[in-house]
mmCIF file of all heavy atoms in Angstrom:
data_model
loop_
_atom_site.group_PDB
_atom_site.id
_atom_site.type_symbol
_atom_site.label_atom_id
_atom_site.label_comp_id
_atom_site.label_asym_id
_atom_site.label_seq_id
_atom_site.Cartn_x
_atom_site.Cartn_y
_atom_site.Cartn_z
ATOM 1 N N LEU A 1034 158.792 -5.137 19.359
ATOM 2 C CA LEU A 1034 158.153 -4.847 20.632
ATOM 3 C C LEU A 1034 157.578 -6.121 21.249
ATOM 4 O O LEU A 1034 157.779 -6.391 22.450
ATOM 5 C CB LEU A 1034 157.058 -3.801 20.443
ATOM 6 C CG LEU A 1034 156.240 -3.449 21.681
ATOM 7 C CD1 LEU A 1034 157.124 -2.921 22.799
ATOM 8 C CD2 LEU A 1034 155.156 -2.434 21.319
ATOM 9 N N LEU A 1035 156.871 -6.910 20.463
ATOM 10 C CA LEU A 1035 156.293 -8.160 20.976
ATOM 11 C C LEU A 1035 157.394 -9.106 21.435
ATOM 12 O O LEU A 1035 157.260 -9.766 22.474
ATOM 13 C CB LEU A 1035 155.442 -8.818 19.898
ATOM 14 C CG LEU A 1035 154.159 -8.076 19.496
ATOM 15 C CD1 LEU A 1035 153.476 -8.807 18.345
ATOM 16 C CD2 LEU A 1035 153.214 -7.953 20.676
ATOM 17 N N ALA A 1036 158.474 -9.190 20.666
ATOM 18 C CA ALA A 1036 159.582 -10.064 21.053
ATOM 19 C C ALA A 1036 160.212 -9.598 22.370
ATOM 20 O O ALA A 1036 160.616 -10.422 23.202
ATOM 21 C CB ALA A 1036 160.629 -10.110 19.949
ATOM 22 N N ALA A 1037 160.305 -8.291 22.551
ATOM 23 C CA ALA A 1037 160.881 -7.743 23.784
ATOM 24 C C ALA A 1037 159.983 -8.005 24.974
ATOM 25 O O ALA A 1037 160.457 -8.149 26.115
ATOM 26 C CB ALA A 1037 161.122 -6.248 23.630
ATOM 27 N N LEU A 1038 158.667 -8.102 24.752
ATOM 28 C CA LEU A 1038 157.713 -8.301 25.837
ATOM 29 C C LEU A 1038 157.503 -9.760 26.190
ATOM 30 O O LEU A 1038 157.102 -10.084 27.316
ATOM 31 C CB LEU A 1038 156.360 -7.685 25.466
ATOM 32 C CG LEU A 1038 156.292 -6.169 25.372
ATOM 33 C CD1 LEU A 1038 154.911 -5.727 24.885
ATOM 34 C CD2 LEU A 1038 156.589 -5.549 26.721
ATOM 35 N N GLN A 1039 157.757 -10.640 25.235
ATOM 36 C CA GLN A 1039 157.444 -12.060 25.435
ATOM 37 C C GLN A 1039 158.125 -12.610 26.679
ATOM 38 O O GLN A 1039 159.340 -12.498 26.853
ATOM 39 C CB GLN A 1039 157.882 -12.871 24.211
ATOM 40 C CG GLN A 1039 157.547 -14.362 24.302
ATOM 41 C CD GLN A 1039 157.865 -15.085 23.017
ATOM 42 O OE1 GLN A 1039 157.054 -15.143 22.105
ATOM 43 N NE2 GLN A 1039 159.080 -15.633 22.918
ATOM 44 N N GLY A 1040 157.316 -13.189 27.568
ATOM 45 C CA GLY A 1040 157.848 -13.821 28.775
ATOM 46 C C GLY A 1040 158.239 -12.876 29.884
ATOM 47 O O GLY A 1040 158.781 -13.302 30.903
ATOM 48 N N GLN A 1041 157.926 -11.574 29.739
ATOM 49 C CA GLN A 1041 158.336 -10.594 30.736
ATOM 50 C C GLN A 1041 157.266 -10.292 31.781
ATOM 51 O O GLN A 1041 157.530 -9.613 32.773
ATOM 52 C CB GLN A 1041 158.748 -9.292 30.052
ATOM 53 C CG GLN A 1041 159.926 -9.454 29.106
ATOM 54 C CD GLN A 1041 161.159 -9.970 29.825
ATOM 55 O OE1 GLN A 1041 161.710 -9.294 30.698
ATOM 56 N NE2 GLN A 1041 161.597 -11.171 29.470
ATOM 57 N N ALA A 1042 156.038 -10.757 31.551
ATOM 58 C CA ALA A 1042 154.928 -10.530 32.493
ATOM 59 C C ALA A 1042 154.803 -9.052 32.865
ATOM 60 O O ALA A 1042 154.611 -8.689 34.021
ATOM 61 C CB ALA A 1042 155.104 -11.383 33.751
ATOM 62 N N ARG A 1043 154.906 -8.206 31.876
ATOM 63 C CA ARG A 1043 154.893 -6.752 32.105
ATOM 64 C C ARG A 1043 153.483 -6.198 32.298
ATOM 65 O O ARG A 1043 153.294 -5.165 32.924
ATOM 66 C CB ARG A 1043 155.604 -6.069 30.938
ATOM 67 C CG ARG A 1043 155.860 -4.579 31.120
ATOM 68 C CD ARG A 1043 156.487 -3.981 29.894
ATOM 69 N NE ARG A 1043 156.723 -2.550 30.017
ATOM 70 C CZ ARG A 1043 157.884 -2.007 30.328
ATOM 71 N NH1 ARG A 1043 158.929 -2.793 30.551
ATOM 72 N NH2 ARG A 1043 158.028 -0.699 30.423
ATOM 73 N N GLY A 1044 152.482 -6.870 31.724
ATOM 74 C CA GLY A 1044 151.098 -6.414 31.862
ATOM 75 C C GLY A 1044 150.835 -5.064 31.224
ATOM 76 O O GLY A 1044 149.995 -4.295 31.689
ATOM 77 N N ALA A 1045 151.515 -4.768 30.131
ATOM 78 C CA ALA A 1045 151.419 -3.450 29.507
ATOM 79 C C ALA A 1045 150.192 -3.334 28.622
ATOM 80 O O ALA A 1045 149.613 -4.325 28.171
ATOM 81 C CB ALA A 1045 152.671 -3.193 28.675
ATOM 82 N N ARG A 1046 149.812 -2.086 28.353
ATOM 83 C CA ARG A 1046 148.831 -1.797 27.298
ATOM 84 C C ARG A 1046 149.625 -1.589 26.012
ATOM 85 O O ARG A 1046 150.508 -0.729 25.956
ATOM 86 C CB ARG A 1046 147.991 -0.580 27.627
ATOM 87 C CG ARG A 1046 146.903 -0.294 26.601
ATOM 88 C CD ARG A 1046 145.779 0.534 27.193
ATOM 89 N NE ARG A 1046 146.185 1.876 27.499
ATOM 90 C CZ ARG A 1046 146.146 2.909 26.632
ATOM 91 N NH1 ARG A 1046 145.743 2.696 25.387
ATOM 92 N NH2 ARG A 1046 146.514 4.120 27.003
ATOM 93 N N VAL A 1047 149.332 -2.374 24.987
ATOM 94 C CA VAL A 1047 150.118 -2.427 23.763
ATOM 95 C C VAL A 1047 149.264 -1.992 22.581
ATOM 96 O O VAL A 1047 148.103 -2.422 22.451
ATOM 97 C CB VAL A 1047 150.662 -3.848 23.535
ATOM 98 C CG1 VAL A 1047 151.435 -3.944 22.211
ATOM 99 C CG2 VAL A 1047 151.549 -4.276 24.705
ATOM 100 N N VAL A 1048 149.837 -1.156 21.729
ATOM 101 C CA VAL A 1048 149.181 -0.725 20.487
ATOM 102 C C VAL A 1048 150.110 -1.053 19.334
ATOM 103 O O VAL A 1048 151.257 -0.604 19.292
ATOM 104 C CB VAL A 1048 148.859 0.779 20.507
ATOM 105 C CG1 VAL A 1048 148.194 1.189 19.194
ATOM 106 C CG2 VAL A 1048 147.964 1.132 21.692
ATOM 107 N N LEU A 1049 149.623 -1.848 18.393
ATOM 108 C CA LEU A 1049 150.412 -2.266 17.233
ATOM 109 C C LEU A 1049 149.839 -1.607 15.983
ATOM 110 O O LEU A 1049 148.663 -1.801 15.658
ATOM 111 C CB LEU A 1049 150.383 -3.783 17.081
ATOM 112 C CG LEU A 1049 150.799 -4.609 18.317
ATOM 113 C CD1 LEU A 1049 150.671 -6.091 18.023
ATOM 114 C CD2 LEU A 1049 152.207 -4.258 18.754
ATOM 115 N N LEU A 1050 150.661 -0.846 15.285
ATOM 116 C CA LEU A 1050 150.232 -0.108 14.111
ATOM 117 C C LEU A 1050 150.747 -0.794 12.855
ATOM 118 O O LEU A 1050 151.968 -0.919 12.663
ATOM 119 C CB LEU A 1050 150.768 1.328 14.171
ATOM 120 C CG LEU A 1050 150.492 2.105 15.467
ATOM 121 C CD1 LEU A 1050 151.190 3.459 15.437
ATOM 122 C CD2 LEU A 1050 149.001 2.258 15.693
ATOM 123 N N ALA A 1051 149.829 -1.272 12.007
ATOM 124 C CA ALA A 1051 150.206 -1.979 10.774
ATOM 125 C C ALA A 1051 151.315 -2.991 11.056
ATOM 126 O O ALA A 1051 152.372 -2.973 10.431
ATOM 127 C CB ALA A 1051 150.656 -0.993 9.706
ATOM 128 N N PRO A 1052 151.089 -3.935 11.982
ATOM 129 C CA PRO A 1052 152.181 -4.806 12.422
ATOM 130 C C PRO A 1052 152.600 -5.854 11.395
ATOM 131 O O PRO A 1052 151.787 -6.362 10.639
ATOM 132 C CB PRO A 1052 151.583 -5.487 13.660
ATOM 133 C CG PRO A 1052 150.108 -5.495 13.420
ATOM 134 C CD PRO A 1052 149.832 -4.201 12.713
ATOM 135 N N VAL A 1053 153.898 -6.132 11.414
ATOM 136 C CA VAL A 1053 154.473 -7.286 10.719
ATOM 137 C C VAL A 1053 155.004 -8.166 11.838
ATOM 138 O O VAL A 1053 156.104 -7.932 12.352
ATOM 139 C CB VAL A 1053 155.591 -6.886 9.757
ATOM 140 C CG1 VAL A 1053 156.196 -8.130 9.098
ATOM 141 C CG2 VAL A 1053 155.088 -5.932 8.699
ATOM 142 N N SER A 1054 154.255 -9.162 12.263
ATOM 143 C CA SER A 1054 154.641 -9.940 13.441
ATOM 144 C C SER A 1054 154.784 -11.433 13.181
ATOM 145 O O SER A 1054 155.578 -12.097 13.843
ATOM 146 C CB SER A 1054 153.644 -9.706 14.586
ATOM 147 O OG SER A 1054 152.314 -10.004 14.180
ATOM 148 N N ASP A 1055 154.016 -11.970 12.250
ATOM 149 C CA ASP A 1055 154.133 -13.390 11.913
ATOM 150 C C ASP A 1055 155.176 -13.524 10.803
ATOM 151 O O ASP A 1055 154.903 -13.261 9.637
ATOM 152 C CB ASP A 1055 152.776 -13.948 11.460
ATOM 153 C CG ASP A 1055 152.814 -15.446 11.258
ATOM 154 O OD1 ASP A 1055 153.779 -15.963 10.646
ATOM 155 O OD2 ASP A 1055 151.872 -16.136 11.722
ATOM 156 N N LEU A 1056 156.384 -13.908 11.186
ATOM 157 C CA LEU A 1056 157.489 -13.872 10.213
ATOM 158 C C LEU A 1056 157.394 -14.979 9.173
ATOM 159 O O LEU A 1056 157.889 -14.805 8.051
ATOM 160 C CB LEU A 1056 158.826 -13.919 10.948
ATOM 161 C CG LEU A 1056 159.092 -12.759 11.900
ATOM 162 C CD1 LEU A 1056 160.569 -12.695 12.263
ATOM 163 C CD2 LEU A 1056 158.645 -11.426 11.312
ATOM 164 N N ALA A 1057 156.787 -16.102 9.501
ATOM 165 C CA ALA A 1057 156.631 -17.166 8.508
ATOM 166 C C ALA A 1057 155.711 -16.703 7.382
ATOM 167 O O ALA A 1057 156.030 -16.850 6.194
ATOM 168 C CB ALA A 1057 156.070 -18.425 9.172
ATOM 169 N N GLU A 1058 154.580 -16.119 7.745
ATOM 170 C CA GLU A 1058 153.632 -15.653 6.734
ATOM 171 C C GLU A 1058 154.186 -14.427 5.992
ATOM 172 O O GLU A 1058 154.025 -14.312 4.769
ATOM 173 C CB GLU A 1058 152.292 -15.307 7.386
ATOM 174 C CG GLU A 1058 151.200 -14.918 6.413
ATOM 175 C CD GLU A 1058 150.740 -16.043 5.497
ATOM 176 O OE1 GLU A 1058 151.206 -17.205 5.672
ATOM 177 O OE2 GLU A 1058 149.931 -15.776 4.595
ATOM 178 N N ALA A 1059 154.865 -13.536 6.705
ATOM 179 C CA ALA A 1059 155.443 -12.362 6.054
ATOM 180 C C ALA A 1059 156.503 -12.778 5.029
ATOM 181 O O ALA A 1059 156.594 -12.207 3.939
ATOM 182 C CB ALA A 1059 156.044 -11.427 7.098
ATOM 183 N N ALA A 1060 157.298 -13.787 5.363
ATOM 184 C CA ALA A 1060 158.303 -14.284 4.424
ATOM 185 C C ALA A 1060 157.644 -14.932 3.226
ATOM 186 O O ALA A 1060 158.075 -14.738 2.073
ATOM 187 C CB ALA A 1060 159.229 -15.257 5.128
ATOM 188 N N ARG A 1061 156.589 -15.703 3.464
ATOM 189 C CA ARG A 1061 155.890 -16.369 2.362
ATOM 190 C C ARG A 1061 155.318 -15.352 1.385
ATOM 191 O O ARG A 1061 155.341 -15.571 0.151
ATOM 192 C CB ARG A 1061 154.744 -17.241 2.907
ATOM 193 C CG ARG A 1061 154.051 -18.101 1.862
ATOM 194 C CD ARG A 1061 152.859 -18.826 2.429
ATOM 195 N NE ARG A 1061 151.739 -17.935 2.679
ATOM 196 C CZ ARG A 1061 150.881 -17.525 1.743
ATOM 197 N NH1 ARG A 1061 151.029 -17.913 0.485
ATOM 198 N NH2 ARG A 1061 149.884 -16.728 2.057
ATOM 199 N N LEU A 1062 154.848 -14.229 1.905
ATOM 200 C CA LEU A 1062 154.258 -13.194 1.068
ATOM 201 C C LEU A 1062 155.284 -12.249 0.480
ATOM 202 O O LEU A 1062 154.951 -11.385 -0.334
ATOM 203 C CB LEU A 1062 153.235 -12.387 1.894
ATOM 204 C CG LEU A 1062 151.990 -13.151 2.341
ATOM 205 C CD1 LEU A 1062 151.173 -12.293 3.314
ATOM 206 C CD2 LEU A 1062 151.141 -13.551 1.148
#
């Protein structure tokens, strides 16, 4: 969802549930 929104200037209200978003840290762990 974040990747789809990046750079789109959509101005949405976003709710992230238990997100996995930082792929460098997620891969490290």
Side-chain angles (χ1 to χ4, degrees):
L1034 177 58
L1035 293 176
L1038 291 176
Q1039 182 174 273
Q1041 298 301 295
R1043 189 183 178 99
R1046 184 158 69 88
V1047 177
V1048 179
L1049 306 178
L1050 308 175
V1053 178
S1054 56
D1055 187 315
L1056 298 196
E1058 185 66 6
R1061 187 186 72 81
L1062 293 171

